Amino acid sequence: MAVQLNKNSFSSRLRHVYEAWNNASANDDYGSLANADALLFAAGDPAGEDEPIRKGMAYQTWLLGYEFPSTFILFEKNKLWFLSSTKKAKILAQIQNASSPVPIEILSQAKPNEPPTDALPKLVEAFASHQRVGTLLKETQSGKLINEWNQATSQASSTPEMLDIAPALSALLAVKDEEELKIVRTAANLTSTLLTHHIAVKLETILDREAKISHEQFAAQIENRLGSGEGVNAKGPDMKVWSKGPLTDVDWQSTEFCYSPIIQSRSSRSGYDLRFTAESTEDNITHEGVILVSVGMRYKGYCANMGRSFIVNPTRVGTAEQEAIYGLLVSLQSSLLSYMKDGVTARDVYQHALSFVKEKKPELEKHFVKNIGFGIGMEFRDSTYLLGPKNGRQLRAGMTINLILGFQELEEDGGKKYALQLVDTILVNQEKSGPLTEGVKAPKETLFFLNPAGGEDSKAPSKEYKKPSKKPAANGHGSPMKNKTAGGKVLRNKTRRQEEELQSTMARIIEHQRQLHTQVQAEGLAKYSESGGGTGGKEGKAWKRFQSYKGEIALPKEVESMRIYVDRKAQTVILPVYGFAVPFHINTIKNVSKNDEGDYTYLRINFQTPGQLAGKKEDTPFEDPDASFIRSMSYRSADGHRFDAIAKQITDLKKEVNKREQQKKEMADVIEQDTLVEVKGRRPHKLPEVFVRPALDGKRLPGEVEIHQNGLRYQSPASSQKLDVLYSNIKHLFFQPCEHELLVIIHVHLKAPIMIGKRKAWDVQFFREASDVQFDETGNRKRKYRYGDEDEIEMEQQERKRRQMLNKEFRLFAEKISEAVTASTGDALEPDVPFRELSFEGVPFRTNVRLQPTTECLVYLSDPPFLVVTLSDIEIASLERVQFGLKQFDLVLIFKDFTKPPLHINSIPSAQLDDVKNWLDSVDIPLSEGPVNLNWGPIMKTINEDPYDFFQQGGWSFLGGATGGVESDQEESSEEESEYEQEQEESEFSESDNNESDFNDSAGGSESGSGSDFDDGSDGEDWDELERKAAKCKSFGSITVSPSLIPVLLADRKRAESGRGHDSDDSDAKPKKAPAKANGKTKGR
């Protein structure tokens, strides 16, 4: 049976109903049940999706676990009646065997094509036998069964008096048992996760980029986190968001929104409205003032609600009061949680809140909300437990309350109205209450400072990054402890403030990295513990059965001669074995060899068998590895020319099949896009005179890009070739201006590759050249009579204006693409602009390029092959060849998908080491340092064999990490460096006293003299100290290493000690093309 009713839950809750009914006269909460002789609950046709759940249906779901439309339930003191359809009656029959306090009788209505039964008359007779019957008078039902009931009761000889029992029913549903509380906590966790890890983050991005998006669109994007679309286009829950919260075993089919999320800002045409019936308007979100967000989730019928206030630029004139008022709401909530407990009345809770506001800020009393919450559960809003000034009902332990605190009709400078709210779902306990929804509550999480002058505690969406040093320091690293110029002198000493800032930055990075490594380790254990050890890269390797022929009839005629025959069509080699023609599929053959001995030629055919440890097929799966296998077969013939032809045919067929399989594997992830829907009723937005990469076939001419309803179209003027990119397949959108570049670029990175011509493409780029070659300056009348600097200055000004116009044109077009994608898919897609000030040089492929971070990626877009690495896909970053004296180091990015090979970025200048570290730390990527290159191919293979065991053995701790042993080394080096600098400082001052006139006469001489003093290494460290540091660099230290990785690391260590060429100074002296290493590098996307 598909629907299973919980008998134990039904029995305990039914017993609770009868106990409350029998003791109603002694308990005010159930007082409305005292005078009722029977209780009647009628359910008609199902309510619409937009209608709130009714109390009667909530009670039915609470009692039975499911909704039963068109069903009557009649409670009598000594009997319980059910009336429903035949199908529902079969489901309800499960509870007849439950340990019920009263007998249960289930009546079933006849089907429309069957003769009527006496079910309805029986129930009407039992109903009419009572004088007073309790029911829900305010609820109106409709449906066929309701009409039949009304007709039957109107014809009855007597009808009982009807009493309203809604207050007593609310009391029954208000106190939750442990099973209900578990569901409510899940609903609260869903709500908290959505607001903390999606809404707040997206809102921060919108404010940071000043994105134009309406309240309604933002609300739709939030709703899409639970899935969108229908049928083939249906999308499931966005696990990138939900996986960040404390959620386990969630039934997503039972998860929904209580209401459409409410987003309000200063531009909302309806103004600020703190009621949950408010709606998000079509106006664009304002990037100033107060932004209110409310979201509620329902899980298995139980609701949780949450609301927050985000204040933008609270340091502006006149808005400092907003920060104080919001702090008052936080303090008020904390006070109420301590006050609300079992036995406290609803009006006392409200009076306590009002007194708190009067005491702290009496001028805000008139702006305080008229009630501060209500009961929440299966009903989103139970007004019986409204926290208002007139409600005398008592709170009980186990109740869940939606606590709504807020001020409305507040005024800021200029007379503009605003409101503030703080909404949470709480649980009432015996001593005090506790919040079920948490997150994004502290002022530092809800106050946004968009101006650069924000305070230190501000949560600035636009992070301030430190620019990389343009001049390397003396130690070869781009350390913040550099020489500084003051008054024309190069000073070698550091101020105390600079040293303290450096130490605090280093300590912050170390502490942050320790937290990140701990988080990655915990996430890895949680991710792979469910299966008790993943299969990693071997998941896709399974036995594949090959069938050459369906029967003997399908064999070719050539086998009758009992000679070796190669059937290219069936991809089979037919061999004669003891008078039988035996076919062998080409995939079962490993290779073929031929040799001549005397007058005979021998042909040896080797087959794929288990236990072959050499070659790429060593892990080839077999249906039964323990079976008997033929390893090889040999044939002898005097016709050597025939064996030559057969060996060539088998080898060629093997190559052809392997090539075909490789192409099929490469094209496995290529998708076939849907049809592009063109814009109708108006001309599409166009960007003319642009080139596309990858280029289309034919002559290279500029075309135009058009924005249509569900995608982009590039049209080439030379031919009818078109290139369509659908919005649903766009993962990232980049805009790279032509500042310091020869091209202005709009770059699209795809979720899945598409075919452009005969090539697979992950990226599509539209660009226009910004060089002078594009503009013909010859024959200009002004140039004829003007020469010299004036003409060059004018040309530079024109070039600058031209580049500005190009940047503006492409930026506006990128924003239009972003708006079209958002409107089409519901997901916000903002143009990402590379941060050139954070760029660093490296070799991700075969040439040295400038890599530029963006908000979400690390990119190189200037020339193909392009590089786009999504930061959220990175598990950990490993810095290799970080040694004293080396001028370059390598960066290895390991992805969360362990089946993807790590990305190697080689030959990064050591002067940018600190900048790369700071950037990686700022984007929350764990990093590690090592003195040698690791062979990542065997390492990733070992990890993929059993990821769970890898994390159990310590995970990435074998890399050492940025926190394992680095802190002590830095402290020692800082102490030694400070002593060294102190000696230098004393010598400088003594020299300055003796030669003061020299410094006054020539600043240039002093600079060169100071520089030469600083570069002198005579007072450096002695040989013992250098040998001790070298020994530290060559050892892995006391770190936890997985036993399976020890052979790999020992091999790397032995290779490092043998002294490879690129570890020397000479190899790093000149930049050159990085050779392709055999350690698992790949082209990143």
Side-chain angles (χ1 to χ4, degrees), residues 573-593:
V573 179
I574 302 175
L575 304 177
V577 180
Y578 295 112
F580 293 92
V582 182
F584 291 89
H585 195 277
I586 191 66
N587 284 322
T588 64
I589 298 175
K590 182 179 180 183
N591 54 36
V592 60
S593 63

Side-chain angles (χ1 to χ4, degrees), residues 649-798:
Q649 289 176 10
I650 296 175
T651 303
D652 292 345
L653 180 60
K654 184 71 177 176
K655 290 180 180 178
E656 181 182 339
V657 171
N658 288 340
K659 183 179 179 181
R660 195 176 303 161
E661 288 182 355
Q662 186 65 24
Q663 290 177 347
K664 186 178 180 181
K665 185 178 179 182
E666 289 179 358
M667 299 301 172
D669 53 354
V670 175
I671 65 170
E672 185 176 349
Q673 298 188 111
D674 295 334
T675 306
L676 184 134
V677 180
E678 297 185 5
V679 173
K680 296 181 180 179
R682 64 173 178 84
R683 292 184 178 180
H685 297 291
K686 295 182 180 181
L687 182 64
E689 298 295 323
V690 295
F691 296 92
V692 65
R693 290 193 291 204
L696 302 178
D697 297 334
K699 192 174 180 181
R700 183 177 179 271
L701 291 174
E704 59 184 13
V705 186
E706 301 175 348
I707 299 177
H708 289 280
Q709 188 170 337
N710 66 334
L712 302 174
R713 168 167 289 174
Y714 176 81
Q715 179 72 46
S716 175
S719 63
S720 59
Q721 288 184 326
K722 297 177 182 179
L723 173 60
D724 295 340
V725 179
L726 297 190
Y727 298 145
S728 58
N729 195 29
I730 296 179
K731 185 176 182 180
H732 298 294
L733 176 65
F734 302 99
F735 161 64
Q736 180 172 296
C738 55
E739 298 169 358
H740 310 288
E741 300 285 349
L742 297 177
L743 305 175
V744 55
I745 295 171
I746 291 178
H747 188 96
V748 175
H749 183 67
L750 306 176
K751 297 177 182 177
I754 60 175
M755 293 299 296
I756 300 179
K758 297 181 180 179
R759 291 166 294 179
K760 181 174 75 170
W762 284 91
D763 300 88
V764 179
Q765 184 179 104
F766 309 106
F767 69 94
R768 190 185 298 171
E769 296 179 4
S771 61
D772 291 335
V773 181
Q774 295 289 313
F775 302 90
D776 185 11
E777 297 286 352
T778 60
N780 192 324
R781 184 173 297 177
K782 291 183 179 180
R783 287 179 57 88
K784 187 175 181 180
Y785 302 103
R786 297 178 63 181
Y787 305 94
D789 294 341
E790 295 84 358
D791 192 21
E792 293 181 2
I793 292 173
E794 183 179 355
M795 290 175 62
E796 290 177 0
Q797 291 175 349
Q798 292 177 356

Side-chain angles (χ1 to χ4, degrees), residues 240 329 385 524 556 593 1060:
K240 291 181 180 179
L329 288 177
Y385 288 94
S593 63
R1060 294 176 299 166

Side-chain angles (χ1 to χ4, degrees), residues 737-901:
C738 55
E739 298 169 358
H740 310 288
E741 300 285 349
L742 297 177
L743 305 175
V744 55
I745 295 171
I746 291 178
H747 188 96
V748 175
H749 183 67
L750 306 176
K751 297 177 182 177
I754 60 175
M755 293 299 296
I756 300 179
K758 297 181 180 179
R759 291 166 294 179
K760 181 174 75 170
W762 284 91
D763 300 88
V764 179
Q765 184 179 104
F766 309 106
F767 69 94
R768 190 185 298 171
E769 296 179 4
S771 61
D772 291 335
V773 181
Q774 295 289 313
F775 302 90
D776 185 11
E777 297 286 352
T778 60
N780 192 324
R781 184 173 297 177
K782 291 183 179 180
R783 287 179 57 88
K784 187 175 181 180
Y785 302 103
R786 297 178 63 181
Y787 305 94
D789 294 341
E790 295 84 358
D791 192 21
E792 293 181 2
I793 292 173
E794 183 179 355
M795 290 175 62
E796 290 177 0
Q797 291 175 349
Q798 292 177 356
E799 173 76 10
R800 195 178 299 112
K801 289 180 180 178
R802 190 161 52 243
R803 287 177 176 266
Q804 290 175 356
M805 291 172 60
L806 281 175
N807 288 338
K808 182 178 180 182
E809 182 182 5
F810 272 67
R811 185 182 66 253
L812 292 176
F813 193 77
E815 290 176 354
K816 290 178 181 177
I817 295 176
S818 172
E819 294 174 1
V821 172
T822 303
S824 175
T825 64
D827 296 329
L829 181 70
E830 296 296 330
D832 219 350
V833 182
F835 298 117
R836 188 176 179 85
E837 60 271 16
L838 296 177
S839 63
F840 57 91
E841 295 180 352
V843 184
F845 308 113
R846 293 182 178 272
T847 55
N848 190 31
V849 298
R850 180 176 292 277
L851 303 169
Q852 302 184 81
T854 69
T855 305
E856 299 177 352
C857 301
L858 176 66
V859 301
Y860 172 69
L861 309 176
S862 298
D863 292 297
F866 306 118
L867 176 70
V868 178
V869 181
T870 306
L871 300 181
S872 59
D873 294 341
I874 299 175
E875 172 91 356
I876 192 171
S878 176
L879 304 176
E880 300 181 348
R881 289 201 302 131
V882 180
Q883 295 187 37
F884 178 78
L886 290 184
K887 297 180 181 179
Q888 293 176 334
F889 68 96
D890 301 333
L891 172 64
V892 182
L893 302 178
I894 299 94
F895 298 99
K896 294 180 179 179
D897 181 5
F898 294 156
T899 59
K900 293 177 61 177

Side-chain angles (χ1 to χ4, degrees), residues 924-945:
D924 296 337
I925 294 179
L927 59 94
S928 65
E929 287 186 32
V932 297
N933 289 104
L934 299 180
N935 194 356
W936 284 98
I939 292 176
M940 297 309 298
K941 183 178 178 182
T942 304
I943 294 173
N944 279 319
E945 287 175 356

Side-chain angles (χ1 to χ4, degrees), residues 125-191:
E125 182 182 354
F127 168 74
S129 64
H130 300 285
Q131 293 184 353
R132 291 179 296 273
V133 176
T135 189
L136 300 172
L137 294 178
K138 295 182 180 180
E139 288 190 5
T140 57
Q141 304 287 342
S142 61
K144 181 181 177 182
L145 183 60
I146 298 295
N147 296 335
E148 293 177 359
W149 172 265
N150 293 333
Q151 184 179 358
T153 53
S154 63
Q155 296 174 359
S157 57
S158 63
T159 55
E161 178 187 355
M162 306 304 290
L163 306 176
D164 187 16
I165 59 170
L169 208 59
S170 295
L172 281 171
L173 299 177
V175 179
K176 312 292 189 297
D177 56 28
E178 285 301 321
E179 184 179 347
E180 292 177 283
L181 288 178
K182 183 179 179 181
I183 299 174
V184 173
R185 288 190 179 96
T186 302
N189 289 337
L190 286 165
T191 310

Side-chain angles (χ1 to χ4, degrees), residues 194-211 213-215 218 221-222 262-265 285-294 308-312 440 445-448 450 459 461 828:
L194 183 63
L195 196 145
T196 304
H197 298 290
H198 177 72
I199 298 177
V201 175
K202 281 291 183 183
L203 184 59
E204 183 177 342
T205 304
I206 290 170
L207 295 173
D208 182 23
R209 300 179 179 178
E210 297 183 357
I213 183 172
S214 68
H215 306 89
F218 189 26
Q221 292 177 18
I222 297 171
I262 303 171
I263 313 296
Q264 302 176 73
S265 70
I285 297 176
T286 308
H287 301 149
E288 287 185 331
V290 177
I291 300 175
L292 301 183
V293 176
S294 298
R308 292 292 183 264
S309 302
F310 296 94
I311 310 174
V312 184
V440 198
E445 297 174 315
T446 58
L447 306 182
F448 292 92
L450 298 186
K459 178 184 178 182

